[in-house]
Structures are given as structure tokens and as C-alpha cells.
């Protein structure tokens, strides 16, 4: 892992010591090379993991998430170049440093063996994100957004700390690989239910679960583009990753605790999709669609079947790329009209046809069109949910339809129809923007050919 | 058959719309002289504002470009959107394309495509076929319902 972490840490002196005209080139170049160093981890043997050291390991679940993280940093840097162009060089370097710091924490979180280290880094990812949202966000609401974001996650994860320390004292070690073999011969006592809750609430808030999702539309909407990208693509998946790991070590006797969260997720999935249909703010629509997709992942993780774990992992990776792509597209609109209102930039297909192609592909993957990996994730989750409970198919079917509805609504609203009177103010697409979109889409489309690497530990 | 008195307002509407359309498409100069319509009671007169400049918009609309927004295409029509300086812009574009597409995506795809037996699926298939062949040849059942030997499992006492 050090071959990934040390170059990422060294990106910080790279940004501070670069000449200001080489700043973006250097950081983009080297962060792309770092994503190459993550690739050898893909060489996963059987169902065991690559145990690289006492502190770090990587297995079929953490490797695709690590790849996503390292791939996203250069994309974040490319996306930020326009709105940071006017800032003084020091502030640009600070911004890139925040992104790199976040990257370091995320890499270490996804590869941590020791759960306390995972926890500390899980919390540490909040700090650079908070700084990015509150310092470089666009509107005054960003302060409120930062507070919601910080305190929701902190309040959810404090019980996790208590639970981890309790497990450390009972089990003796919090090594993830050992804890999977913890034979917790416990009967049904209240303490176990509380332990389950304590473990899961942090990740439920992070995912987010429907009842605890209020921080997400605020944070996603107010964050600058790089913040939105990393929030939607990776930070939500931290919750999914944590849940996937923790369910391995919890006792199966307390699985009944999952029912309330299943209900919340099933209902919340339909609710947030419906809310998307009524949004005027483009980023808010994409944020609520993230909640909806993550509700699927929560359900898949809670039912704990091999197929559902495969679906959860595939859906996490697919949604990471798709959601980040949609935020980049929304940002390209925002940079032109300086407003997130959807109707202000409509009929774009007439003047920006290539961007319309990216919008179309992004919308098609968002609504889980076959054979994209989004479909693979959703299909596996739907099938395993059906086998868990026949009635859930009704709500899942309704959700799939409403997902298609709001995605097409977003597409038609921004791309089709008659353009506005102020359309001549809209500048043609830059190469940078087209590159950014294709760098999101090409991995997404390539993964269709070989989805085995994103199907996680139960493949 | 419609009465003329009923038809006239409709015709008035129709002709008025046509005139309005003509005025809209051809602008203020569509009516250079004053004339009265013979079919309707409309009077078309040239606008008093002909020849005068349109007033500058005093209201700043949200859709107007912000004055401090810099259009990168103005100074550099070949801008790739990375930087004002054309040289840095082109090199940034080249760096992103080379390192992003030519190195990471191409080598990455090749790496993933040639991964040796990811998670040992192919080995598992070969092993399963080998075992099935062995068991069929020896008359053993292909599969047993016990994964582990039941005599080796030690259960705790009934509590």
C-alpha cells in the first residue's frame, strides 16, 4: 500500500512547489499515474484477500473502491480548473491540498485492517470535505450545509467508536481479518441489539438512510464541483464499505435489527425518487437520486446474501462513476448560467450536441439501462430482494420506473425542447469538459465487458 | 352560416395576429406609413421610436453573462478550457489526454483484461470437472450434503 500512499502524500509538496502555470498540469499528471499504481491490487486470488502488511490489506471489495478513489482525484482536479482560475495561487494550492488530503485518508480507510484506524480515517475524511464545502462553496447556505454534514456524521459515528472499543475489550483485537471469525455465541439480549445499532448507525448516516439523509442534498448542492464529485462518488460508499465489513463480524442472531432499516430504505427509495421528479434545482435532483440508489445498496447489504453483496458492490462503483459524471455535467451548466435551475439552460442539444451525447449516456446509465453495470447492480439487488421477500418487488419496480422518469425528466428538461432566448450567452464546450465526461464514461462502459472486478467478495 | 357580426371579431383577431406576426418578424420598420385596414378597424402607424436607439437594459437579467466572467474563447479561440495562457492550455490538454487515456485507460484495460484467473473461477471449474470425472469413474456420489465430516464437529452442551 505504501506505493500508493507515499506518492499521494508527495503530491502535496508537488502542489506547493509547482510553478503556478504548471500547477494543474503537474497535479493532474501525477494523480493519473498514482491511479496506475492502484491497478496491481486487482490481481485478486481466491476468496481471500491480499494481506499486504499489518496495517493494510486489499480484497475484492476494497480494490474497486480504491481504484475509484484514485481515478477520481485527477477528475476532480480537471473539474476544478475553471472555477478556481481567478483565485490567487496559494488558495488554488490549498484547494488541491484538501483534495489530496482527502484522497490519502480515503485510500487508507479503504485498505485499513485495524478497525480503529478505519474509524479514525473515516472521521478524518470529514475535515477536508468540510473545508472544501464551507470555504469554496457558492452560496451562503454552504455554512448550514457544512454544519449538517459534520454533525450528522459525527453524531452517527460516536456510537461506532464505543462499539469498537467494546469489541476490542471483548475480542482482544480489532483486526478485520480476524474479527470475521469471531464466534459470538450470544443469545438475544438488548445489549446485542444496541451493539448492532451502534455499529450500523454511523454507516446508515453516511449512506445515507432515508430518515437521516437531510445532510446530503445540502452538502451536495452547496459543495464546489470537486466536493460534490467526491461526496457522491466515494464518501457515500464509505458507508456501504463499512456496512459490508461490519456485517461480516456481527452475529447472525441479531439480524432482525435490520427490519426497520429495510422498511426505511424501501420506502425512502421510492420517496426520494419521487422528490426528484419535483426538483427545480439540478444538483438537488442528482443528490436525491444518490439517496435513492444508496437505499438500494443499504437494502442489499442488510439482507446479506451472496447475490445482494455482488449487487451492492457493483452498484456502489457504478453509481460512483455515474453520479460524479452527472455532477460534472450539472457543473458545466452552472459555469455557463451561474444558476442551478434546470430550466435556465434548456434545449442544449441544439447548441452543444457533444455535451448532449454525454448527457444522454449519463442519463442512460443512471436509469440502469442494460448492459451497463448500473443495471447489473440493480438487477442483482432486485433479484435478491425478491427472494428475501416477494412483496418488495412492488416497491422496487415502482422505484425503477420512477428512476427512469426523473432521469428522463432531467435529460429532456436540459437537452430537448426549444432553447431559451439567452442561449447565445452559452459558450461552446471546452475540450476539458468533454475530456472530463469521457474519462468518467469510458471506465463505466469498459466495465460492462468485464464486471467481475466490481462484483466484490462473493463473486 | 356565421353572421357577419359574429365573424368580424374573429376576423379582427385573425388579422391583428397576422399583423402582429409581421411586425414581430420584420421589426419596427414593417409599417413605414400609416394605413388603415379595410377588413378590420385596425390602424397601423409607424412606431414613434423609429430611428431612435433602443434603450440600454437597465435591469440586469440573471441570464446575461456576468461582467467578471471571462470567456476563454475571446483571447484564445482555440482554447481547450484549461488556462488563459495558450501554451499552458495546450500542454495541459496533452498531459490529460496522454496520461489519462493513453496510459491509464489503455494499460489499465489491458491489465484487467489479462488478469490471471480472477478469484480462481477457471481453476474452480477445472477442479470441479476433474472431481466429477473421478467420482463418476469410481462410483462415488458426485456431491455429499455434508461439507464437513459430521464426526469431527464438536457441539457445545445443551444450555
Amino acid at each position: 500500500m505504501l506505493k500508493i500512499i507515499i506518492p499521494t502524500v508527495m503530491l502535496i509538496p508537488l502542489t506547493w512547489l509547482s510553478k503556478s502555470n504548471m500547477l494543474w498540469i503537474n497535479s493532474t499528471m501525477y494523480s493519473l499515474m498514482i491511479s496506475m499504481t492502484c491497478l496491481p491490487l486487482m490481481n485478486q486470488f481466491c476468496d481471500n484477500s491480499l494481506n499486504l502488511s499489518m496495517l493494510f490489506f486489499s480484497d475484492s471489495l476494497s480494490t474497486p473502491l480504491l481504484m475509484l478513489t484514485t481515478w477520481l482525484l485527477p477528475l476532480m482536479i480537471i473539474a476544478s480548473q475553471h472555477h478556481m482560475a481567478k483565485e490567487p495561487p496559494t488558495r488554488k494550492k490549498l484547494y488541491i491540498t484538501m483534495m489530496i488530503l482527502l484522497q490519502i485518508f480515503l485510500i487508507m480507510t479503504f485498505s485499513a485492517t485495524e478497525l480503529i484506524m478505519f474509524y479514525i480515517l473515516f472521521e478524518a475524511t470529514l475535515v477536508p470535505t468540510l473545508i472544501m464545502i464551507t470555504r469554496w462553496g457558492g452560496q451562503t447556505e454552504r455554512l448550514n450545509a457544512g454544519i449538517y454534514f459534520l454533525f450528522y456524521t459525527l453524531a452517527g459515528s460516536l456510537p461506532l467508536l464505543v462499539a469498537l472499543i467494546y469489541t476490542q475489550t471483548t475480542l482482544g483485537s480489532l483486526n478485520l481479518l480476524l474479527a470475521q471469525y469471531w464466534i459470538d455465541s450470544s443469545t438475544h439480549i438488548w445489549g446485542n441489539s444496541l451493539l448492532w445499532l451502534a455499529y450500523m448507525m454511523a454507516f446508515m448516516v453516511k449512506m445515507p438512510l432515508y430518515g437521516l439523509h437531510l445532510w446530503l442534498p445540502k452538502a451536495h448542492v452547496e459543495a464546489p464541483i470537486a466536493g460534490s464529485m467526491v461526496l457522491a462518488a466515494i464518501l457515500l460508499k464509505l458507508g456501504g464499505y463499512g456496512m459490508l465489513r461490519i456485517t461480516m463480524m456481527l452475529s447472525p442472531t441479531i439480524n432482525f435489527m435490520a427490519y426497520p432499516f429495510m422498511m426505511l430504505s424501501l420506502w425512502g427509495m421510492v420517496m426520494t425518487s419521487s422528490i426528484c421528479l419535483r426538483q427545480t434545482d439540478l444538483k438537488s435532483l442528482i443528490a436525491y437520486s444518490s439517496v435513492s440508489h444508496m437505499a438500494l445498496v443499504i437494502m442489499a447489504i442488510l439482507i446479506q446474501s451472496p447475490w445482494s453483496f455482488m449487487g451492492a458492490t457493483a452498484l456502489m462503483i457504478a453509481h460512483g462513476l455515474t453520479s460524479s459524471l452527472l455532477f460534472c455535467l450539472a457543473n458545466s451548466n452552472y459555469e455557463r448560467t451561474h444558476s442551478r435551475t434546470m430550466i435556465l439552460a434548456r434545449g442544449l442539444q441544439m447548441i452543444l450536441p457533444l455535451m448532449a451525447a454525454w448527457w444522454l449516456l449519463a442519463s442512460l446509465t443512471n436509469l440502469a439501462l442494460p448492459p451497463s453495470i448500473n443495471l447489473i447492480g440493480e438487477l442483482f439487488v432486485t433479484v435478491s430482494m425478491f427472494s428475501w421477500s416477494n412483496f418488495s418487488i412492488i416497491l422496487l419496480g415502482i422505484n425503477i420506473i420512477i428512476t427512469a422518469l426523473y432521469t428522463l425528466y432531467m435529460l429532456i428538461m436540459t437537452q430537448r425542447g426549444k432553447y431559451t432566448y439567452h442561449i447565445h450567452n452559452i459558450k461552446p464546450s471546452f475540450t476539458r469538459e468533454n475530456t472530463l465526461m469521457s474519462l468518467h464514461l469510458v471506465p463505466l462502459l469498459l466495465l460492462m465487458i468485464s464486471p467481475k472486478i466490481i462484483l466484490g467478495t462473493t463473486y | 352560416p356565421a353572421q357577419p357580426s359574429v365573424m368580424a371579431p374573429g376576423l379582427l383577431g385573425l388579422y391583428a395576429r397576422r399583423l402582429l406576426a409581421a411586425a414581430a418578424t420584420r421589426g419596427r420598420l414593417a409599417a413605414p406609413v400609416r394605413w388603415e385596414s379595410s377588413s378590420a378597424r385596425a390602424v397601423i402607424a409607424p412606431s414613434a421610436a423609429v430611428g431612435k436607439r433602443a434603450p440600454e437594459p437597465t435591469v440586469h437579467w440573471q441570464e446575461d453573462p456576468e461582467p467578471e466572467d471571462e470567456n476563454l474563447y475571446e483571447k484564445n479561440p482555440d482554447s481547450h478550457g484549461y488556462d488563459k495562457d495558450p501554451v499552458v492550455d495546450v500542454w495541459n490538454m496533452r498531459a490529460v489526454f496522454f496520461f489519462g487515456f493513453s496510459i491509464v485507460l489503455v494499460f489499465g484495460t489491458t491489465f484487467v483484461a489479462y488478469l490471471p484467473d480472477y478469484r480462481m473461477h477457471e481453476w474452480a471449474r477445472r477442479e470441479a470437472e476433474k472431481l466429477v470425472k473421478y467420482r463418476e469413474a469410481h462410483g462415488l456420489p458426485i456431491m455429499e450434503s455434508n461439507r464437513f465430516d459430521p464426526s469431527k464437529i464438536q457441539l457445545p452442551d445443551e444450555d
Side-chain angles (χ1 to χ4, degrees):
Chain A
M1 273 326 283
L2 273 183
K3 66 177 179 283
I4 306 172
I5 296 174
I6 292 201
T8 320
V9 171
M10 294 310 285
L11 274 179
I12 300 182
L14 174 75
T15 43
W16 284 98
L17 297 174
S18 291
K19 288 193 296 209
S20 34
N21 62 346
M22 287 294 288
L23 175 64
W24 299 104
I25 300 180
N26 277 343
S27 42
T28 320
M29 208 159 74
Y30 285 102
S31 45
L32 280 167
M33 291 313 294
I34 290 174
S35 66
M36 282 290 284
T37 54
C38 232
L39 269 179
L41 293 174
M42 288 277 187
N43 190 12
Q44 293 285 332
F45 313 117
C46 55
D47 46 357
N48 207 344
S49 46
L50 286 173
N51 301 326
L52 304 164
S53 79
M54 295 294 291
L55 292 169
F56 300 116
F57 83 121
S58 85
D59 76 352
S60 308
L61 171 60
S62 57
T63 307
L65 288 165
L66 273 168
M67 277 304 313
L68 187 60
T69 314
T70 47
W71 183 236
L72 220 79
L73 178 63
L75 265 48
M76 280 157 61
I77 295 177
I78 297 173
S80 311
Q81 273 185 255
H82 186 260
H83 76 93
M84 295 298 287
K86 291 268 165 32
E87 305 251 348
T90 314
R91 231 174 271 162
K92 280 193 232 188
K93 292 177 182 177
L94 252 179
Y95 192 64
I96 301 180
T97 310
M98 285 301 120
M99 287 196 266
I100 296 170
L101 211 54
L102 188 55
Q103 172 89 331
I104 299 170
F105 292 149
L106 283 166
I107 291 176
M108 296 212 280
T109 314
F110 282 126
S111 52
T113 14
E114 183 69 33
L115 281 176
I116 291 282
M117 179 165 127
F118 169 79
Y119 176 79
I120 293 175
L121 293 162
F122 179 80
E123 298 298 300
T125 57
L126 291 178
V127 175
T129 322
L130 181 72
I131 297 178
M132 275 167 50
I133 297 178
T134 49
R135 172 64 184 81
W136 281 285
Q139 285 76 34
T140 47
E141 289 82 14
R142 69 185 191 271
L143 303 169
N144 202 15
I147 291 180
Y148 265 71
F149 168 65
L150 184 69
F151 285 104
Y152 264 66
T153 319
L154 273 181
S157 55
L158 215 45
L160 175 63
L161 180 63
V162 176
L164 282 175
I165 296 180
Y166 165 76
T167 315
Q168 167 82 38
T169 43
T170 42
L171 192 56
S173 156
L174 271 178
N175 192 324
L176 193 54
L177 310 167
L178 282 179
Q180 292 174 24
Y181 302 108
W182 176 25
I183 303 170
D184 193 13
S185 56
S186 50
T187 51
H188 166 39
I189 51 176
W190 279 110
N192 280 346
S193 310
L194 282 176
L195 188 69
W196 192 98
L197 264 180
Y199 267 122
M200 290 296 188
M201 286 320 290
F203 306 117
M204 295 290 184
V205 172
K206 202 78 172 159
M207 287 296 294
L209 181 66
Y210 175 58
L212 308 160
H213 69 290
L214 285 180
W215 64 271
L216 188 136
K218 291 189 198 293
H220 275 68
V221 163
E222 302 303 329
I225 179 60
S228 289
M229 282 167 77
V230 79
L231 267 170
I234 317 277
L235 290 177
L236 264 47
K237 290 34 177 191
L238 268 180
Y241 175 76
M243 274 175 77
L244 277 165
R245 292 278 183 230
I246 297 288
T247 46
M248 291 294 181
M249 53 183 264
L250 288 175
S251 162
T253 50
I254 35 174
N255 274 346
F256 62 86
M257 285 299 295
Y259 282 104
F261 300 100
M262 291 293 299
M263 297 306 124
L264 273 174
S265 293
L266 270 169
W267 187 237
M269 161 182 87
V270 176
M271 278 291 106
T272 43
S273 303
S274 316
I275 291 174
C276 283
L277 282 170
R278 297 289 295 163
Q279 289 296 323
T280 50
D281 181 337
L282 187 52
K283 276 179 94 164
S284 192
L285 195 154
I286 304 170
Y288 276 108
S289 98
S290 285
V291 181
S292 173
H293 284 115
M294 286 298 109
L296 274 169
V297 175
I298 295 180
M299 289 190 294
I301 298 174
L302 288 175
I303 60 180
Q304 295 180 26
S305 88
W307 270 59
S308 74
F309 277 2
M310 281 200 267
T313 321
L315 202 48
M316 284 202 286
I317 304 295
H319 175 260
L321 285 167
T322 311
S323 198
S324 179
L325 172 60
L326 283 169
F327 274 116
C328 289
L329 287 167
N331 186 55
S332 73
N333 270 6
Y334 179 78
E335 282 176 357
R336 285 165 171 75
T337 55
H338 284 290
S339 165
R340 294 189 299 262
T341 316
M342 258 194 291
I343 52 173
L344 270 187
R346 57 183 194 273
L348 290 179
Q349 191 165 357
M350 275 292 129
I351 39 162
L352 304 175
L354 185 55
M355 199 51 82
W358 305 133
W359 270 102
L360 179 69
L361 283 171
S363 303
L364 290 178
T365 48
N366 196 26
L367 54 90
L369 189 80
S372 66
I373 49 179
N374 297 264
L375 177 82
I376 293 177
E378 267 190 48
L379 196 62
F380 282 16
V381 172
T382 310
V383 164
S384 47
M385 280 291 293
F386 180 68
S387 88
W388 175 75
S389 155
N390 289 8
F391 291 110
S392 60
I393 197 82
I394 303 174
L395 284 167
L396 282 163
I398 292 177
N399 181 55
I400 292 182
I401 295 176
I402 303 185
T403 305
L405 280 174
Y406 71 70
T407 315
L408 287 174
Y409 168 65
M410 178 177 66
L411 178 70
I412 292 174
M413 203 53 129
T414 49
Q415 303 304 118
R416 307 289 161 88
K418 181 111 172 74
Y419 43 80
T420 53
Y421 292 107
H422 57 269
I423 208 76
H424 58 275
N425 290 337
I426 294 191
K427 307 186 274 279
S429 306
F430 292 111
T431 315
R432 177 183 64 87
E433 292 168 340
N434 290 325
T435 316
L436 187 60
M437 310 313 164
S438 44
L439 281 174
H440 276 104
L441 265 171
V442 169
L444 199 59
L445 300 173
L446 282 174
L447 277 170
M448 274 197 262
I449 308 172
S450 164
K452 62 186 185 206
I453 49 177
I454 53 165
L455 287 177
T457 44
T458 47
Y459 171 61
Chain B
Q3 299 292 320
S5 57
V6 173
M7 262 174 68
L11 284 173
L12 167 65
L14 184 60
Y15 282 116
R17 267 179 300 206
R18 280 198 193 154
L19 284 164
L20 276 169
T25 49
R26 276 177 276 157
R28 291 186 294 269
L29 300 176
V33 294
R34 180 191 166 90
W35 56 277
E36 289 168 15
S37 165
S38 53
S39 59
R41 285 196 296 274
V43 174
I44 309 302
S47 165
V50 161
K52 300 205 177 94
R53 291 175 63 82
E56 294 295 323
T58 47
V59 178
H60 174 66
W61 293 97
Q62 188 178 9
E63 298 92 7
D64 292 337
E66 312 239 330
E68 63 267 3
D69 243 355
E70 193 191 341
N71 184 357
L72 284 168
Y73 286 121
E74 268 175 40
K75 301 262 174 61
N76 177 14
D78 295 326
S79 172
H80 292 287
Y82 290 101
D83 198 84
K84 287 197 307 278
D85 179 358
V87 175
V88 172
D89 191 48
V90 165
W91 275 101
N92 200 334
M93 182 268 297
R94 287 176 181 165
V96 169
F97 272 117
F98 179 66
F99 287 95
F101 287 90
S102 308
I103 292 199
V104 178
L105 280 177
V106 167
F107 287 156
T109 313
T110 322
F111 185 86
V112 170
Y114 284 98
L115 280 178
D117 200 9
Y118 185 73
R119 288 181 75 88
M120 291 169 78
H121 270 234
E122 294 155 31
W123 174 87
R125 177 64 60 126
R126 285 194 306 268
E127 182 72 14
E129 284 167 0
K130 187 184 111 188
L131 283 175
V132 164
K133 192 170 147 195
Y134 175 84
R135 285 177 185 164
E136 278 177 351
H138 286 70
L140 298 166
I142 303 178
M143 234 177 137
E144 280 155 11
S145 45
N146 286 327
R147 174 72 177 86
F148 301 104
D149 187 1
S151 59
K152 294 200 177 125
I153 300 176
Q154 294 167 351
L155 292 168
D157 303 328
E158 290 292 326
D159 274 332

